Amino acid sequence: MIRKRRRPLTALEIVRYIVLIPILAFFLAPIVWLFVTPFSSRPSLSISLGKPTLSNFVRVFQNKIALLAFRNSLIIAVGTVVLVTVAALLAAYVLSRKKFKGRDILLYVLILFSSVVTGVAAMVPLFMMNLKLGLIDKHLGVILTMSGGLLPTSVFILKDFIDSISITYEEAALVDGSTPLQVMFRIFLPLSSRGVIVIAMLTFVNAWSNFLVPFILLRSTTLYPISIAIYTFFTEIGVPDIGMISAYSLMYTLPVIVVYLIIEKRFGFSFYGGLKA
Amino acid sequence: MAWIEFDHVTKRFEEVVAVNDVSFSVEKGEFFTLLGPSGCGKSTTLRLIAGLEIPTEGRVFIAGKDVTFIPPGQRNVAMVFQNYALYPHMTVYQNIAYPLTVRKVDRKEIDQRVKYVAENLQIHSLLQRYPMEISGGQQQRVALARAIIQTPNAFLLDEPLSNLDAKLRIEARSFLKHLHMELGTTVVYVTHDQAEAMALSSRIAVMDSGNIRQIGTPKEIYDSPADTFVAGFIGNPPMNLLEVEIIGYRVKLEDQLLEVPELVEKLLKPVDGKVTMGIRPEHVKIADRGELKGTVYVVEPLGAEIIITVKLGNQFLKVLTFEEMNISPGDVIGLNLNREKILLFDERGIRIEKRAE
């Protein structure tokens, strides 16, 4: 057998690596920090393991607010996922399958408003609106506000996805004797499940990590989701407790990574239709 | 009463008239074909029968019942789509069983019927596969099986052969015809391929831009097309249509004259001046001392037959012959037309009727 001889690096390649390695290190460092610091006995802002320990996690589990925040984040994230996914699916279906006057303009307005009027710009009006509706300091207010922010993009993505599913499947099912509900549950939902999962995942990650909306709308510490609870981890003299923060951050990050891995493994992000994510 | 009936049906999409005041009836057990170029409204007509479209005006009847506003599922018709529309997330078995499953038929009966139909169509070995894992020809059989299992009032077939390659298409065509003879179920078939229509149909409706131009048996449509559109659409190669002038008992084609006293006498109305003369390529014979002279333009040997395009002045005439001939482009040849087969069309393109013998 002939061994492939390793080709010597060209000058260009060497320059390329010299440029790339610091960039890689720059982006990798925070991630390494996130996985190392929680287990460190002397946590600091630099990456050093010292003696491995689990004491940081023990302290997190002893903190009542920290544990309640997990529950709160879950309520908010799941609530938003359910609302956004169901509403976006229904809206996207109509926008994709029915032609009506002003449909394209409506879609443009959706995408425009969702990308222009967001976050900080809408802070005051959102607060006023929730105040008027009596939704301040309630999870429902947070869920509704975040859903409002996430819906336009979700509708847009799902509409594109549904466009790629041929309507003849639904028509064939109708002629084959199905009721409209049977078409929905036996044909359309299975075919669009991948698009729905993408939207659910995007929504989950967004809702799980959102800081601004719950920060504006929630007052009681017992209702805080993780993204805000993390700000309460200070020692008596006002110094951030880096050990706890890093341990908590890791716990906060893991569900998102796990969700992503499960879906990646099960679906591999290939679709019947044209959309790839 | 007819089995499927269209009573002055019009379908408009916004400003476009897809089907324009169409009336026809299909008898029970017939193989009825809607034939026409793309965009002529034939698919819309089929969708109107299926109930996937609701007419803007007019009524649709199936099996003696007014179904104009009845949803597709309750019309008891089975449709095969051009792309087959096999549900990709179901196995072949589940696909075939689907129409029975949603109608809540007993599971044991479903199993029996699926196996029976699959056996008949020779797809029983594929039942556990997914549609994406089987070939185009097999997919087509699965789509047919899904239609057959319903024992419907009618099969609606929307260009079911157009996704198959040429060789498979001929095979599937005979298979379809055999299947229709065996089942005896009414078929409404949509195609743009005139050969398919001729080979399969009991009757053909030729459509153009939302209107039916002619309804008749394949022979009627072939031998006596109602107008120049039908004449030019049917046949491969289609009928020759030549601009001529009738002067008394003679036809003037470019600068050549042809004596046709019998033809002119048989016409139901007197004709004088410019008309279109139609003659099928197989009714033109090449003869050394023919009545017409032309220059050979192209010779296309197709194995059994040869198509020769002849230039007569500024017009072209196609000749179909089964004889071996030593002719090459540029040769001047003589042509004889079979007088019995000459058709004349007036300035609007409508055929001028002849007296029956």
Side-chain angles (χ1 to χ4, degrees):
Chain A
M1 236 175 86
I2 304 159
R3 271 248 190 97
K4 227 186 203 166
R5 259 182 62 199
R6 186 170 281 176
R7 188 172 49 86
L9 293 175
T10 64
L12 186 71
E13 277 172 331
I14 293 170
V15 173
R16 208 180 277 160
Y17 281 120
I18 289 172
V19 175
L20 283 179
I21 286 168
I23 295 176
L24 182 71
F26 182 80
F27 284 103
L28 218 54
I31 298 169
V32 174
W33 181 87
L34 181 67
F35 281 93
V36 168
T37 317
F39 302 98
S40 165
S41 52
R42 284 188 301 120
S44 68
L45 289 178
S46 55
I47 302 169
S48 64
L49 187 53
K51 236 172 87 188
T53 169
L54 287 174
S55 71
N56 293 323
F57 290 97
V58 173
R59 281 192 295 141
V60 167
F61 280 106
Q62 282 163 351
N63 187 316
K64 204 175 144 236
I65 291 177
L67 291 182
L68 271 179
F70 255 100
R71 189 203 64 180
N72 293 333
S73 275
L74 211 61
I75 291 173
I76 291 172
V78 171
T80 311
V81 165
V82 171
L83 186 62
V84 168
T85 312
V86 171
L89 186 65
L90 297 177
Y93 183 81
V94 175
L95 286 171
S96 167
R97 294 296 191 236
K98 297 278 170 226
K99 264 211 142 164
F100 53 87
K101 269 199 182 126
R103 182 185 76 170
D104 294 342
I105 293 172
L106 182 69
L107 278 169
Y108 273 110
V109 170
L110 270 182
I111 210 67
L112 192 73
F113 272 76
S114 69
S115 52
V116 174
V117 189
T118 47
V120 188
M123 213 159 67
V124 177
L126 280 177
F127 180 80
M128 296 304 292
M129 201 155 80
N130 277 286
L131 191 66
K132 286 262 156 67
L133 291 169
L135 289 173
I136 294 295
D137 208 21
K138 286 190 177 123
H139 283 150
L140 183 63
V142 178
I143 292 174
L144 288 177
T145 307
M146 286 204 295
S147 299
L150 292 170
L151 261 175
T153 334
S154 307
V155 170
F156 208 77
I157 295 175
L158 262 184
K159 190 236 161 215
D160 248 24
F161 182 77
I162 295 172
D163 282 348
S164 73
I165 304 172
S166 167
I167 195 172
T168 47
Y169 297 125
E170 290 151 55
E171 290 180 338
L174 274 179
V175 180
D176 279 346
S178 340
T179 61
L181 273 183
Q182 284 172 323
V183 176
M184 183 86 189
F185 284 104
R186 286 175 178 271
I187 307 296
F188 180 70
L189 278 182
L191 288 181
S192 58
S193 61
R194 285 160 188 238
V196 172
I197 284 166
V198 168
I199 292 305
M201 230 189 72
L202 277 178
T203 309
F204 181 83
V205 171
N206 266 300
W208 184 259
S209 63
N210 194 307
F211 170 76
L212 196 65
V213 176
F215 186 66
I216 300 165
L217 298 180
L218 296 178
R219 288 283 159 270
S220 331
T221 46
T222 51
L223 293 178
Y224 281 175
I226 304 171
S227 54
I228 304 175
I230 217 164
Y231 276 77
T232 62
F233 296 164
F234 289 87
T235 57
E236 289 80 0
I237 50 165
V239 176
D241 183 338
I242 290 176
M244 251 177 100
I245 289 177
S246 61
Y248 202 49
S249 299
L250 186 61
M251 289 164 66
Y252 178 40
T253 319
L254 281 181
V256 177
I257 297 175
V258 168
V259 165
Y260 181 82
L261 286 180
I262 290 173
I263 289 167
E264 162 78 38
K265 196 164 175 92
R266 273 201 60 186
F267 295 97
F269 287 107
S270 63
F271 291 95
Y272 293 123
L275 186 81
K276 294 234 159 58
Chain B
M1 197 183 179
W3 192 242
I4 297 173
E5 195 166 344
F6 262 47
D7 183 18
H8 295 283
V9 172
T10 296
K11 177 69 188 176
R12 267 188 289 270
F13 296 105
E14 315 218 344
E15 293 308 303
V16 186
V17 183
V19 174
N20 186 13
D21 192 26
V22 160
S23 298
F24 64 84
S25 50
V26 181
E27 298 303 326
K28 193 171 181 180
E30 234 185 336
F31 198 116
F32 189 83
T33 299
L34 296 161
L35 173 66
S38 57
C40 72
K42 57 191 193 298
S43 279
T44 308
T45 306
L46 196 74
R47 292 167 60 85
L48 283 161
I49 302 176
L52 293 169
E53 308 286 353
I54 291 170
T56 319
E57 282 161 41
R59 300 253 143 205
V60 178
F61 300 87
I62 298 175
K65 223 173 84 188
D66 184 345
V67 296
T68 314
F69 299 107
I70 289 181
Q74 292 164 33
R75 295 188 179 200
N76 194 27
V77 291
M79 188 156 169
V80 174
F81 290 77
Q82 186 171 1
N83 60 0
Y84 313 136
L86 298 178
Y87 313 125
H89 59 297
M90 296 184 193
T91 61
V92 167
Y93 183 98
Q94 289 166 325
N95 263 287
I96 300 174
Y98 186 83
L100 302 183
T101 315
V102 291
R103 290 187 174 104
K104 308 248 180 332
V105 175
D106 180 61
R107 194 169 289 194
K108 260 198 192 138
E109 199 195 326
I110 294 181
D111 193 59
Q112 269 176 9
R113 279 165 71 178
V114 169
K115 293 210 167 118
Y116 178 74
V117 170
E119 196 85 30
N120 265 338
L121 297 186
Q122 291 159 20
I123 45 175
H124 48 282
S125 58
L126 307 171
L127 287 175
Q128 295 316 315
R129 303 244 204 117
Y130 283 90
M132 273 187 284
E133 301 165 353
I134 61 179
S135 73
Q138 292 167 334
Q139 286 181 9
Q140 197 228 12
R141 278 168 188 244
V142 174
L144 280 172
R146 192 171 67 186
I148 290 167
I149 202 166
Q150 306 177 47
T151 53
N153 283 331
F155 292 126
L156 311 178
L157 310 182
D158 189 0
E159 311 221 6
L161 304 184
S162 61
N163 278 4
L164 302 176
D165 59 58
K167 187 168 162 264
L168 211 53
R169 200 178 305 160
I170 305 284
E171 223 169 87
R173 197 171 76 188
S174 335
F175 175 74
L176 264 183
K177 186 152 193 175
H178 180 77
L179 200 66
H180 172 248
M181 289 194 305
E182 215 165 68
L183 298 171
T185 313
T186 315
V187 173
V188 182
Y189 188 93
V190 162
T191 183
H192 62 266
D193 181 339
Q194 55 87 27
E196 250 170 53
M198 296 290 289
L200 289 167
S201 319
S202 327
R203 281 194 307 149
I204 300 173
V206 183
M207 288 188 78
D208 179 40
S209 49
N211 298 297
I212 290 188
R213 291 302 190 94
Q214 187 176 7
I215 300 181
T217 63
K219 191 167 166 47
E220 283 165 6
I221 300 241
Y222 191 81
D223 288 342
S224 20
D227 55 25
T228 46
F229 175 81
V230 178
F233 198 76
I234 304 282
N236 183 26
M239 185 179 280
N240 291 302
L241 295 169
L242 303 161
E243 303 295 324
V244 298
E245 208 174 327
I246 302 273
I247 306 164
Y249 286 110
R250 284 187 289 196
V251 166
K252 184 167 177 249
L253 170 59
E254 296 289 312
D255 47 7
Q256 305 190 52
L257 284 172
L258 201 62
E259 300 276 350
V260 284
E262 320 92 319
L263 174 71
V264 173
E265 262 175 9
K266 264 195 228 159
L267 294 174
L268 279 183
K269 64 174 187 184
V271 176
D272 211 23
K274 289 202 164 139
V275 292
T276 304
M277 179 176 80
I279 181 130
R280 295 226 170 258
E282 62 270 32
H283 297 140
V284 185
K285 291 272 167 290
I286 293 175
D288 285 340
R289 265 181 276 162
E291 326 157 87
L292 292 172
K293 289 260 177 294
T295 317
V296 176
Y297 187 69
V298 182
V299 181
E300 295 163 89
L302 300 175
E305 71 262 40
I306 306 171
I307 300 171
I308 300 155
T309 310
V310 182
K311 199 169 180 200
L312 295 158
N314 288 320
Q315 303 193 54
F316 292 96
L317 179 79
K318 280 190 193 300
V319 182
L320 183 68
T321 174
F322 293 89
E323 291 159 42
E324 293 270 339
M325 260 178 221
N326 201 4
I327 291 180
S328 46
D331 293 357
V332 174
I333 54 170
L335 301 167
N336 278 329
L337 309 186
N338 182 344
R339 300 289 158 84
E340 299 284 305
K341 302 290 184 181
I342 292 178
L343 302 174
L344 294 178
F345 301 89
D346 65 17
E347 67 278 5
R348 287 170 304 146
I350 310 289
R351 180 166 52 88
I352 303 163
E353 302 258 353
K354 281 191 278 188
R355 239 187 332 246
E357 322 276 309

